[in-house]
Amino acid sequence: MITRKSQREIDMMKAAGRILARCHQEIAKRIKPGVTTAEIDAYVEQFLAEHGAKPEQKGYNGYEFATCASINDEICHGFPRDEKLVEGDIVTIDMVVNLNGGLADSAWTYCVGEPDEKTQKLLDVTRTSLYKGIEQALPGNRIGDIGYAIQQYAEGEGYSVVREFTGHGIGPTIHEDPQIPHFGLPGKGSRLKEGMVITIEPMINEGVWQSKMDDNGWTARTADGERSAQYEHTLVITKDGAMILTDQNHMED
Ligand code: MF3
Ligand code: CO
């Protein structure tokens, strides 16, 4: 069932999104060679506690960490761990923040040290593909319009789009209807309506789109060992277009 959120629910999710966006800005300062994703995860727990918020992923379906930390060929749901990041790694930090029952979900890929040209292009195209999808998140458009815009752009730049993991509705729980694939056909799928809150979170691969699952049952990595990047925002469909709740650039304070 696809729900539309009340203004009160949207305000609560907006407050969660603001904390999440700030947390990402702090993470950006802390991603450096020698740092571990376990340290970043502990920092996130502390940051959220200081802001009266909770890491919603911890305990979700038995997941044990505040963040997902997916390095290089890991697509998503990597476990934070004690391995030091090295210059040139890319790492996606994904988290869901719960502030007084309002949820927001955002992932961001960081480069450890200075990105080379190939890495910079992967990150730029992946981030731009997210915004191409967001541009289509309008009332009256259909879910397929979002995926189509992302896929056309990313494949046109020579990358592939992960199929097994999608964006999703979000509300009182992390994963609600509808699923938002990052590929598809224009004019297909359910119609987007004012008040729906969804995530768009394209995972874009340098090589093939296929993935394989680690023995831990959580972590997906690329089938060919090439790298994968991801950017994710939570957004509300409004009559004027998408309102991003996890935007890191336009925060009032
Ligand atoms: N942020 C992740 C997503 O977009 C949530 C993963 S749930 C977890 O689907 F338990 F794996 F953390
Ligand atoms: Co999500």
Side-chain angles (χ1 to χ4, degrees):
M1 190 190 47
I2 303 178
T3 62
R4 297 160 76 175
K5 270 64 183 179
S6 66
Q7 190 56 49
R8 181 183 134 78
E9 285 176 291
I10 290 168
D11 288 343
M12 286 165 63
M13 297 178 87
K14 194 175 190 176
R18 184 167 304 152
I19 289 172
L20 206 177
R22 289 218 194 108
C23 189
H24 268 307
Q25 291 178 316
E26 292 302 320
I27 291 169
K29 297 180 201 159
R30 287 169 172 79
I31 301 274
K32 291 195 176 82
V35 169
T36 72
T37 49
E39 287 163 351
I40 297 294
D41 192 72
Y43 173 77
V44 166
E45 283 227 34
Q46 179 201 326
F47 181 94
L48 296 184
E50 281 168 9
H51 290 80
K54 285 188 302 201
E56 185 71 6
Q57 293 184 158
K58 201 169 177 174
Y60 179 78
N61 290 341
Y63 190 74
E64 292 179 17
F65 308 94
T67 62
C68 297
S70 306
I71 304 171
N72 296 331
D73 66 322
E74 294 170 351
I75 295 170
C76 62
H77 307 159
F79 289 176
R81 54 190 184 264
D82 290 326
E83 174 190 321
K84 289 186 192 320
L85 294 169
V86 299
E87 175 92 24
D89 279 346
I90 58 171
V91 56
T92 303
I93 307 292
D94 186 3
M95 68 184 114
V96 181
V97 169
N98 180 333
L99 180 71
N100 303 322
L103 303 189
D105 186 359
S106 177
W108 214 252
T109 300
Y110 300 94
C111 185
V112 181
E114 281 307 306
D116 60 19
E117 218 172 290
K118 186 169 176 237
T119 304
Q120 189 66 56
K121 185 179 171 200
L122 172 65
L123 300 185
D124 287 347
V125 169
T126 305
R127 200 176 48 254
T128 301
S129 79
L130 165 61
Y131 289 100
K132 298 265 180 199
I134 290 174
E135 274 173 27
Q136 297 299 319
L138 304 168
N141 269 10
R142 290 180 186 272
I143 287 174
D145 296 322
I146 295 175
Y148 180 73
I150 292 169
Q151 183 180 20
Q152 282 295 108
Y153 171 70
E155 290 184 355
E157 294 293 329
Y159 298 99
S160 68
V161 177
V162 169
R163 307 280 205 274
E164 294 97 326
F165 301 93
T166 66
H168 48 90
I170 178 168
T173 54
I174 300 184
H175 293 125
E176 300 188 356
D177 290 337
Q179 288 194 356
I180 312 285
H182 304 109
F183 59 95
L185 295 171
K188 299 283 182 197
S190 307
R191 230 180 252 290
L192 299 165
K193 296 195 176 120
E194 228 181 299
M196 287 172 54
V197 182
I198 60 170
T199 74
I200 302 179
E201 48 181 303
M203 287 143 273
I204 302 296
N205 296 352
E206 287 181 318
V208 299
W209 62 263
Q210 283 87 356
S211 63
K212 54 187 186 205
M213 183 57 70
D214 279 6
D215 290 339
N216 67 20
W218 277 101
T219 309
R221 62 179 74 235
T222 59
D224 59 6
E226 298 282 318
R227 297 178 302 174
S228 184
Q230 179 184 28
Y231 294 88
E232 171 183 27
H233 277 311
T234 298
L235 51 100
V236 189
I237 311 291
T238 80
K239 64 177 185 328
D240 307 315
M243 179 171 81
I244 301 173
L245 299 182
T246 46
D247 190 11
Q248 297 173 33
N249 306 315
H250 303 103
M251 289 181 296
E252 302 94 90
D253 51 347

